[in-house]
Amino acid sequence: NTPHKMTLSSATPPDPSKIPPNLPSSVEKSEYLSSEKSSSIPLLKNYINGKFEDPLNGDSQITHFIHNKNPATNQTLCYLPASGESQVDRAAKAASEAHKKGVWRKMTPQERAGKLMAIADKIEQDSERFATLESEDIGKPRSLARNVDIDRAIRNFRFFAGQIVHTSTKFHDMGEQQGFNYTLRRPIGVVGIIKAWNLSIYLLTWAIAPALACGNCVVVKASELTPMTAYALAEIIDQVGLPPGTFNLVHGYGKDVGAAIVAHPLTKCISFTGGTVTGRIVGSVAGSKIKKCSLELGGKNSMLVFDDCDLEKATDIAKRAAFANQGQICLCCSRILIQDTIYDKFVEKFLEKVRTIRVGDPSKEDTTMGALVSLPHREKVRYYIELAKSEGGQILHGGKSPDNLKEHLKEGAFLEPTVIGGLSPFAKAATEEIFGPVVTLHRFSTDSEAVEYANTVEYGLCASVQTTNLNRAHVISDQLETGMVWINTWLLRDLRVPFGGVKNSGVGREGGEDSLLFFSEDKNVCVSY
């Protein structure tokens, strides 16, 4: 049953050059002003130095507006300014000046924690609006946005509000005749935060909360595909009343705003979540300027299913790990490695559960899978489905857009949950990141073979191991080349633990104490008797 490392097929592989870029379009300012759009569709604003800036003002220097669409309906949600270097420069200078004045950093940890708790409370009070915005922006079910994304945003602020008042620094005694050392921990200064579209408010607050807790000032860029909850967060931060310049939000394309944030001489630290290709550029620029940099990048994660597992539980976990958030989570397990003695039983039960997934209107409470983030992204996912076919894969379920959508959803970026069998675990479709509702199934015989297949990919973010053998679970976990391993579960998160990957999945760790260490600098003070 061991597959060869080269998959042969007579089918012609699809052309990757035909995958469209996953970027929203833009319109010139004059075109925007001459149309009905200027009065009927919301226009988001940058938030710089404690003020929302009108992008229609001549002083704003904004010449284009980005078109933001609901991926479920393909209808326009809002426009946002296509900002650039000048807006980032003003935001970075505002943050730097605020840090120099020190109003925020000189607050006690308890005072900063109080502000973070107030932000969390206001998000909670407005949680249904946040859930609706996130659902409409990303295409995910509103119930998922409510129970995962918005809940996590609230918890991020509350967690780090608690963390900052309960943390401690180090003391080293050198003996009665010499002296002692103690460690001071101070904020870095201006932090650049650039996050991906798939879990917009979830990922943004995962960095914003600890960066602010440590006393830093931040310049934030949300994805141009999903800007609305970041804007709603800026409104709440404005209401809570952080000192001007402490929090700044600049909208725009990654090549313009993201690049400017990373390169700006006043940003001293970068927290980035996104694709590995972009991550290499971010890391290179940040490294050339000697900036602290955390890169949370792509993943091609495996679930290892052994024949002593609880099959009912394992198939439930596999369904969620493969298709949560339409498969658009860097932690999704898009490769399921199944011991050959239970392969057929697992596949049968897994497919039964996949067939219960309800694809449809994200606003409906009974929908369990919504739309992908955009039509271009759906084309990328379709490319990989066709690639899998050309490499010898068989579509066991899905592989196409659903044919029972309501009329208002027919232009949306929907795709059925797709299960592919028959591929080599070394095939391109089984080793490259797809980032969509596609999972490949593979057989293995021995523990060592399972580990070999899991480690063959260039990524190393996470893995999930399904077994009731405690010794096997610990041994396999140690052998897997990943930053995180879940045993008999998936995405069970404890905000105290380090989060991050190895290999092409990133550099650095955030979470709990690791976040406080990343967003601050330690200074040792040595005292002699």
Side-chain angles (χ1 to χ4, degrees):
N1 291 324
T2 303
H4 298 292
K5 293 196 176 185
M6 181 176 290
T7 305
L8 300 177
S9 174
S10 59
T12 303
D15 183 359
S17 67
K18 293 184 178 179
I19 301 173
N22 192 24
L23 291 172
S25 61
S26 65
V27 296
E28 291 187 2
K29 185 176 183 178
S30 58
E31 180 185 345
Y32 173 84
L33 290 171
S34 65
S35 69
E36 296 180 0
K37 301 166 186 173
S38 58
S39 60
S40 61
I41 298 175
L43 176 61
L44 306 189
K45 301 176 181 179
N46 292 330
Y47 184 73
I48 298 174
N49 202 24
K51 295 180 180 179
F52 287 100
E53 296 190 340
D54 183 0
L56 298 177
N57 187 309
D59 296 333
S60 73
Q61 299 178 303
I62 300 294
T63 61
H64 288 76
F65 297 114
I66 299 171
H67 196 189
N68 182 36
K69 290 186 175 184
N70 182 333
T73 63
N74 203 34
Q75 298 300 305
T76 301
L77 290 169
C78 66
Y79 284 86
L80 56 147
S83 308
E85 288 185 7
S86 62
Q87 289 77 29
V88 170
D89 182 59
R90 286 190 292 103
K93 286 177 177 175
S96 180
E97 185 62 28
H99 187 70
K100 287 177 184 176
K101 289 180 180 178
V103 177
W104 179 250
R105 66 180 169 85
K106 290 179 182 178
M107 287 184 183
T108 66
Q110 289 81 2
E111 289 172 327
R112 291 198 299 270
K115 292 290 188 180
L116 298 188
M117 293 294 282
I119 294 169
D121 291 345
K122 284 187 172 292
I123 296 174
E124 187 171 51
Q125 292 162 13
D126 208 11
S127 59
E128 197 58 31
R129 182 173 76 98
F130 269 84
T132 298
L133 291 174
E134 197 79 326
S135 172
E136 291 178 344
D137 229 1
I138 302 175
K140 67 179 66 186
R142 186 164 57 195
S143 58
L144 179 69
R146 180 191 306 120
N147 298 326
V148 175
D149 302 63
I150 311 310
D151 176 74
R152 176 60 182 276
I154 296 165
R155 289 196 294 125
N156 284 340
F157 278 108
R158 288 179 176 161
F159 174 81
F160 285 107
Q163 184 87 1
I164 198 64
V165 298
H166 292 105
T167 191
S168 60
T169 55
K170 296 177 181 179
F171 176 91
H172 297 86
D173 184 13
M174 300 173 70
E176 293 182 7
Q177 301 302 314
Q178 285 195 303
F180 58 89
N181 294 268
Y182 64 90
T183 304
L184 296 174
R185 184 172 294 167
R186 295 293 181 258
I188 294 174
V190 181
V191 174
I193 296 173
I194 305 166
K195 295 299 174 180
W197 49 260
N198 59 314
L199 299 165
S200 184
I201 192 71
Y202 178 126
L203 294 173
L204 285 168
T205 56
W206 178 237
I208 291 169
L212 292 178
C214 289
N216 298 290
C217 298
V218 300
V219 179
V220 176
K221 180 204 173 296
S223 170
E224 59 270 32
L225 288 164
T226 55
M228 295 203 300
T229 49
Y231 185 71
L233 176 63
E235 292 177 320
I236 280 179
I237 287 175
D238 187 66
Q239 294 166 19
V240 168
L242 267 59
T246 303
F247 172 89
N248 303 273
L249 173 66
V250 184
H251 298 288
Y253 291 112
K255 65 181 178 63
D256 302 320
V257 173
I261 290 174
V262 176
H264 201 284
L266 293 177
T267 56
K268 304 302 181 185
C269 172
I270 302 295
S271 176
F272 173 82
T273 300
T276 299
V277 173
T278 306
R280 287 194 180 98
I281 299 171
V282 172
S284 176
V285 174
S288 70
K289 298 177 181 295
I290 321 298
K291 299 186 183 191
K292 255 189 171 182
C293 190
S294 172
L295 303 174
E296 199 273 280
L297 308 177
K300 188 67 177 179
N301 312 301
S302 294
M303 176 176 288
L304 289 69
V305 183
F306 293 91
D307 60 7
D308 61 354
C309 73
D310 179 332
L311 194 61
E312 189 68 33
K313 182 179 179 181
T315 47
D316 278 336
I317 294 169
K319 171 189 165 186
R320 179 169 169 256
F323 300 116
N325 202 46
Q326 297 72 247
Q328 298 170 141
I329 304 178
C330 58
L331 299 164
C332 277
C333 292
S334 56
R335 290 160 53 89
I336 304 180
L337 312 178
I338 308 150
Q339 199 151 26
D340 50 15
T341 49
I342 61 164
Y343 182 87
D344 292 337
K345 288 183 180 178
F346 179 93
V347 172
E348 180 181 4
K349 188 169 288 291
F350 179 63
L351 289 174
E352 284 178 8
K353 293 179 177 180
V354 171
R355 293 185 191 106
T356 67
I357 294 174
R358 293 184 294 276
V359 182
D361 191 338
S363 68
K364 302 299 183 184
E365 290 299 310
D366 61 348
T367 296
T368 53
M369 180 179 286
L372 276 68
V373 74
S374 69
L375 292 171
H377 185 62
R378 185 178 67 176
E379 289 310 302
K380 175 197 170 185
V381 177
R382 282 175 165 170
Y383 159 80
Y384 276 102
I385 293 172
E386 294 306 310
L387 178 64
K389 291 178 184 178
S390 74
E391 292 183 303
Q394 296 92 45
I395 306 300
L396 305 180
H397 182 82
K400 60 182 179 62
S401 296
D403 53 16
N404 60 345
L405 293 170
K406 301 291 186 181
E407 190 64 33
H408 70 292
L409 303 174
K410 288 186 176 178
E411 299 299 317
F414 291 92
L415 192 66
E416 292 179 342
T418 300
V419 182
I420 302 173
L423 274 180
S424 162
F426 306 100
K428 290 182 68 174
T431 56
E432 296 183 3
E433 185 178 39
I434 299 175
F435 217 63
V438 178
V439 65
T440 59
L441 310 181
H442 311 278
R443 295 175 182 265
F444 70 86
S445 297
T446 64
D447 290 19
S448 60
E449 196 173 56
V451 171
E452 178 194 358
Y453 293 170
N455 288 343
T456 194
V457 298
E458 64 182 45
Y459 302 99
L461 188 54
C462 75
S464 177
V465 178
Q466 306 298 315
T467 179
T468 54
N469 184 318
L470 184 61
N471 183 66
R472 168 186 273 164
H474 289 305
V475 170
I476 295 291
S477 296
D478 183 55
Q479 293 174 341
L480 291 169
E481 297 170 355
T482 62
M484 298 166 282
V485 179
W486 281 287
I487 298 172
N488 296 325
T489 187
W490 175 76
L491 205 55
L492 179 60
R493 292 284 289 119
D494 182 335
L495 302 189
R496 298 170 296 179
V497 305
F499 180 97
V502 300
K503 300 196 290 188
N504 282 349
S505 287
V507 175
R509 295 292 183 271
E510 295 184 33
E513 191 71 12
D514 290 273
S515 285
L516 300 190
L517 290 169
F518 177 70
F519 290 114
S520 61
E521 294 285 11
D522 280 359
K523 178 190 292 185
N524 186 73
V525 179
C526 180
V527 180
S528 176
Y529 290 124

